[in-house]
Amino acid sequence: MPLLTAPAGSPAATRDPDGMAVASFVLGLLGLLVLNLFLGPIAIVLASVALLRGTTRRGRALLGLTLGIADLLVLAAFVQADSTISWSL
């Protein structure tokens, strides 16, 4: 019966958190431009899980976490400015 998860220390076990760190960075960056209501929280969750699993790309995960929080702050600023959930350039 095959294992569903990779053993600790294997290449696949370190690749998953690293991929999550990169994905959180990309989604956080993209969230500053579009869909920040959805992409911001996803970036925060991915970065948090990557950090908890011990990613080797810690800086990228922290950047993804910061960008995810910034997405929500940008959304909050625009909601305060024009009292709607959506915004456009």
Side-chain angles (χ1 to χ4, degrees):
M1 186 169 174
L3 291 174
L4 296 177
T5 59
S10 70
T14 57
R15 196 174 343 139
D16 290 342
D18 291 348
M20 286 185 211
V22 172
S24 71
F25 171 71
V26 171
L27 291 177
L29 195 59
L30 186 61
L32 287 174
L33 301 174
V34 294
L35 297 173
N36 49 2
L37 180 63
F38 300 108
L39 296 180
I42 292 171
I44 292 170
V45 169
L46 283 175
S48 300
V49 171
L51 288 169
L52 288 175
R53 290 189 180 178
T55 182
T56 58
R57 298 179 181 210
R58 184 171 169 81
R60 194 146 309 159
L62 290 172
L63 214 62
L65 182 65
T66 304
L67 287 170
I69 293 168
D71 291 346
L72 297 179
L73 292 175
V74 166
L75 177 66
F78 279 110
V79 167
Q80 287 291 77
D82 63 1
S83 301
T84 63
I85 292 179
S86 64
W87 61 275
S88 61
L89 296 175

